[in-house]
Every structure is written in structure tokens, then in C-alpha cells.
């Protein structure tokens, strides 16, 4: 394996690892930067898989049928497609981050109350029955006399 191949493999692996790490953060800007790094890593991976640079992608008229001298055009087309997709998702995430900043003053993604409630019920169901208090109702079941959370009729 050539030194350039090892270097490119390390660069692509580093871009993917950093991009995934950033996408797991709660900030929309970090998520956006992670997506951009993943897009660049994908483009590098596709272009490296295309073969040696500088070879013509199309056989000229009257040339011999030696297929080893020509580059594969498919990775180049896939890289262009990946660029367009990454650009579209980037603009969408930028719009979400801007809207979050204008409405809330920050770009942190909040916890979903419904997801947290379902997770709590699942944890309680997994717990042993002896560990639960006997007269403690489940948190997701409102008492019949309680009004609806929005104040409207049930």
C-alpha cells in the first residue's frame, strides 16, 4: 500500500469520526459542522476510490481499448451528487439553527417531554414490583378527576 493511500484513509477516517462525534452533540451548529465533515469525508472517499487522478474518464476517438489507462467516471458523478445533497441539508440545518436562535436565544435541542415520559414508564416497567411503592400511580395515567393538561374537556 502506498503512503498516499494510507494518508488518505486516515484523513477520511478522521473526518468520519469527528463528524459523527459532532453530530451526537445537542447544539445545532455542532450538528451542522459534523454533517459538513461527513460530507467532505464522503467526497474524499468517493474520489480516492475512483483511481489515480489525471487519467481521462472517456476513451478518445480512435484510441485502443486499453481500459487500465482511464479513470472511472462513476465516483466523480457520485461525488457531485453527494455535494448537492450535503449542500441542501446544510442550508436546511442553517435555517433550523437560525430559527432556534431567533425564537429561543440558543441553538440547543431540548428534550422531548413525551419521550422522557415514555422512557420513565419503560424504566418503571423494567423495575422489580417490590421496588415500587404499592400506592404510587404510574406518572403517565392522570387521575380521573384531574382536568386535561390544556384546560379543555376530556
Amino acid at each position: 500500500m502506498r503512503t498516499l493511500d494510507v494518508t488518505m484513509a486516515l484523513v477520511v477516517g478522521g473526518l468520519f469520526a469527528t463528524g459523527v462525534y459532532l453530530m451526537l452533540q445537542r447544539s445545532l451548529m455542532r450538528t451542522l459542522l459534523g454533517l459538513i465533515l461527513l460530507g467532505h469525508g464522503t467526497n474524499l472517499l468517493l474520489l480516492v476510490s475512483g483511481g489515480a487522478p489525471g487519467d481521462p474518464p472517456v476513451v478518445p476517438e480512435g484510441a485502443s481499448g486499453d481500459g487500465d489507462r482511464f479513470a472511472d467516471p462513476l465516483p466523480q458523478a457520485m461525488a457531485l451528487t453527494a455535494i448537492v445533497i450535503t449542500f441542501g441539508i446544510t442550508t436546511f440545518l442553517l435555517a433550523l439553527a437560525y430559527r432556534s436562535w431567533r425564537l429561543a436565544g440558543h441553538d440547543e435541542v431540548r428534550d422531548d417531554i413525551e419521550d422522557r415520559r415514555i422512557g420513565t414508564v419503560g424504566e418503571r416497567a423494567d423495575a422489580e414490583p417490590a421496588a415500587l411503592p404499592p400506592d404510587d400511580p404510574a406518572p403517565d395515567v392522570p387521575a380521573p378527576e384531574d382536568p386535561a393538561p390544556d384546560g379543555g374537556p376530556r
Side-chain angles (χ1 to χ4, degrees):
M1 209 173 189
R2 296 185 329 212
T3 307
L4 181 64
D5 292 338
V6 173
T7 304
M8 291 304 289
L10 288 174
V11 168
V12 168
L15 285 173
F16 274 114
T18 308
V20 168
Y21 174 75
L22 287 174
M23 286 187 73
L24 294 175
Q25 304 296 315
R26 299 190 62 82
S27 169
L28 284 176
M29 286 308 292
R30 289 184 182 181
T31 303
L32 176 66
L33 290 174
L35 177 82
I36 291 170
L37 287 178
L38 278 176
H40 288 312
T42 303
N43 292 335
L44 272 178
L45 180 67
L46 288 170
L47 290 177
V48 167
S49 70
D55 292 337
V58 180
V59 178
E61 190 71 34
S64 65
D66 185 18
D68 293 339
R69 293 186 3 197
F70 302 105
D72 186 13
L74 184 63
Q76 297 171 13
M78 290 181 72
L80 286 173
T81 304
I83 290 170
V84 170
I85 291 171
T86 303
F87 180 72
I89 293 174
T90 300
T91 55
F92 179 68
L93 279 176
L94 273 174
L96 285 179
Y98 178 74
R99 179 175 167 84
S100 175
W101 184 264
R102 294 287 292 178
L103 292 177
H106 58 82
D107 67 341
E108 297 288 323
V109 178
R110 295 183 310 180
D111 283 342
D112 188 14
I113 296 170
E114 186 69 19
D115 284 343
R116 184 171 291 216
R117 186 173 63 89
I118 290 171
T120 304
V121 170
E123 290 172 3
R124 290 183 64 143
D126 291 341
E128 296 178 22
L132 296 176
D135 58 348
D136 188 21
D140 63 336
V141 180
E145 64 272 5
D146 289 345
D150 61 354
R154 288 205 173 245

